[in-house]
Amino acid sequence: MSVDEATVRRIAHLARIAVSDEEAHRLPGELSAMLDWVEPLGEVDTTGVEPMTSVIPMVMKKRDDVVRDG
């Protein structure tokens, strides 16, 4: 995927990140390289794989739902 300077500025605006003109000139190449590296992951067959919230199975601690006089 190719990223241009306008896209870098848009991403920076949405992320509320200040980007100088020098950085905006340099970042399209870096972002394109990152996206090219991640793109092959879309080809992996994940059929039957359950979504995970953590690498380690964890049970969330929950308090009892008790009505109290506030």
Side-chain angles (χ1 to χ4, degrees):
M1 177 177 187
S2 180
V3 177
D4 59 357
E5 193 171 324
T7 305
V8 168
R9 291 191 185 280
R10 174 92 172 124
I11 292 169
H13 173 75
L14 292 172
R16 307 293 193 260
I17 299 172
V19 175
S20 68
D21 290 337
E22 178 186 323
E23 290 173 319
H25 223 54
R26 179 178 44 88
L27 286 174
E30 291 183 25
L31 290 174
S32 292
M34 287 182 215
L35 291 174
D36 289 342
W37 186 80
V38 170
E39 192 172 356
L41 295 176
E43 299 172 9
V44 177
D45 181 21
T46 57
T47 306
V49 178
E50 293 292 323
M52 298 181 351
T53 56
S54 176
V55 178
I56 301 169
M58 297 175 16
V59 177
M60 290 184 63
K61 297 177 183 176
K62 299 178 184 176
R63 63 176 173 81
D64 292 334
D65 191 13
V66 178
V67 178
R68 297 184 182 163
D69 184 22

